[in-house]
Amino acid sequence: NAEPLVVEVESVELPKRTLGEGIRSLFGAPVDREDLEDILIRADFGVEASVEISEELKREANRQGASSDAELRLLLKDLLAKKLTRSDSALNLASGSLPYVILVVGVNGAGKTTTIGKLSKWLRDGDWSVVLGAADTFRAAAVEQLGTWADRSGSTLVRPEREGQDPASVAYQTVEVALSQNADIAIIDTAGRLQNKKDLMDELGKIRRAVEKQAQIAEVLLVIDSTMGQNAMAQAKAFTEVAEVTGIVMTKLDGTAKGGILYSLQSALDLPVKLVGVGEGINDFAFFSPEEFAKGLVA
Ligand code: GDP
């Protein structure tokens, strides 16, 4: 019985909308009829997962005798939420001694600096004291940008003394300042150069060692631009091979209906998505909730 797999969708061209609106439109007002598999593939779940999810939905729908649109959506939502749920998706801010050090890695333009700004604001709102380290020392603009976020969030900025200064020395100083201020959190912005895996590995390794002389690393967050779709996968894999990543931040989920990439990455990399970015503003981020996300996908 193929009937339960058919859902109503809008035309193929997806307009730029918010995540909820964009993806909701996939299951919205009828214009076309398409197979769920195709919809999931278009939303960037990847072929394998799309087939798997469709099959599971079909099985579950048959088992439960579900066939109405509403019943199928509910089943699909529960199925997606279950698949997206991991026990390690919370930010690790509860164990070890202060300061909690968070390294932020990812290619240029992914949204590292913006994410740090948003996260530091959220932490400051929760009365955590925060020191930001501008270890992306090769771009003066990156340092200035981080400085702006530090001002806006009320965090301390540790900046390089000169352009091109060893990023590891900035990372070291950041932790040193955090310790001297009894700060709760140190967040270190790194350069996103990926032209050479060995260089990247050397640089991140050096930063790690500099930090670990004084403190433990609580998180290594890999920031990924969700609008890169499946192309983000190769980049992400390269980083996970060199950086001991502990969690993913998916940015720009506001500008795409392709939220399935979140599922693809989480399962392919076997890493939790911890935060999502949904805009350029300081409050435009959220801790990842599988339930909310799945709801947005099929509501
Ligand atoms: P970095 O080079 O990795 O530090 O990237 P930036 O933080 O400088 O971000 C690159 C661009 O992406 C900037 O124009 C940001 O405003 C934008 N950006 C970052 N996160 C988001 C997001 O969640 N949504 C949207 N729409 N834009 C974002």
Side-chain angles (χ1 to χ4, degrees):
N1 179 10
E3 198 50 30
L5 285 181
V6 179
V7 287
E8 316 283 350
V9 294
E10 277 189 2
S11 60
V12 176
E13 262 315 294
L14 294 169
K16 261 201 157 195
R17 298 192 225 172
T18 65
L19 175 69
E21 287 169 340
I23 294 176
R24 215 169 288 140
S25 71
L26 286 173
F27 295 87
V31 174
D32 252 338
R33 292 179 75 86
E34 272 194 21
D35 195 56
L36 174 63
E37 221 168 271
D38 292 338
I39 295 168
L40 291 171
I41 290 169
R42 274 221 318 273
D44 251 334
F45 274 79
V47 176
E48 208 176 308
S50 299
V51 172
E52 191 184 296
I53 292 165
S54 304
E55 286 297 315
E56 273 181 54
L57 182 70
K58 188 172 160 183
R59 265 201 307 278
E60 200 50 29
N62 286 338
R63 204 178 64 79
Q64 296 192 18
S67 60
S68 75
D69 213 45
E71 286 172 322
L72 290 172
R73 282 181 207 212
L74 189 62
L75 273 186
L76 181 59
K77 181 194 70 86
D78 290 347
L79 183 67
L80 290 174
K82 203 172 87 196
K83 281 185 163 296
L84 288 162
T85 300
R86 296 175 56 116
S87 58
D88 55 356
S89 55
L91 209 54
N92 173 25
L93 296 179
S95 59
S97 51
L98 296 172
Y100 297 133
V101 181
I102 301 174
L103 293 187
V104 180
V105 305
V107 296
N108 282 338
K112 289 184 297 297
T113 312
T114 309
T115 298
I116 292 172
K118 294 171 182 175
L119 182 58
S120 56
K121 168 72 161 45
W122 180 83
L123 290 163
R124 294 289 302 121
D125 285 349
D127 269 342
W128 300 75
S129 48
V130 180
V131 177
L132 304 183
D136 182 352
T137 63
F138 295 88
R139 295 185 305 148
V143 177
E144 292 320 312
Q145 201 190 336
L146 195 66
T148 305
W149 286 113
D151 289 343
R152 292 176 69 189
S153 63
S155 308
T156 301
L157 177 73
V158 176
R159 53 163 69 235
E161 278 145 28
R162 57 188 161 72
E163 200 166 318
Q165 183 181 333
D166 184 358
S169 79
V170 178
Y172 186 88
Q173 280 165 19
T174 305
V175 179
E176 199 170 54
V177 168
L179 283 165
S180 73
Q181 292 187 352
N182 286 322
D184 301 310
I185 314 271
I187 310 179
I188 298 172
D189 194 10
T190 66
R193 292 164 307 148
L194 190 57
Q195 70 273 53
N196 176 331
K197 229 189 224 178
K198 179 162 185 315
D199 285 354
L200 183 74
M201 178 153 38
D202 288 349
E203 184 168 308
L204 291 175
K206 221 169 144 191
I207 290 175
R208 275 196 92 91
R209 288 191 294 280
V211 170
E212 284 170 340
K213 277 182 189 151
Q214 307 170 86
Q216 284 175 338
I217 295 174
E219 292 275 7
V220 179
L221 298 178
L222 171 60
V223 179
I224 299 171
D225 176 346
S226 61
T227 63
M228 299 285 293
Q230 296 288 327
N231 293 336
M233 197 74 81
Q235 285 176 1
K237 279 204 170 115
F239 272 96
T240 56
E241 279 162 25
V242 301
E244 296 179 57
V245 175
T246 57
I248 301 170
V249 179
M250 292 292 302
T251 61
K252 310 184 194 181
L253 275 167
D254 49 309
T256 177
K258 296 186 167 251
I261 188 67
L262 187 149
Y263 172 80
S264 306
L265 278 165
Q266 180 164 284
S267 56
L269 303 175
D270 192 21
L271 282 169
V273 172
K274 298 204 167 189
L275 302 171
V276 295
V278 290
E280 297 186 84
I282 201 158
N283 294 316
D284 294 337
F285 91 117
F287 291 92
F288 177 56
S289 153
E291 187 64 26
E292 287 302 312
F293 187 76
K295 225 192 263 173
L297 280 169
V298 301

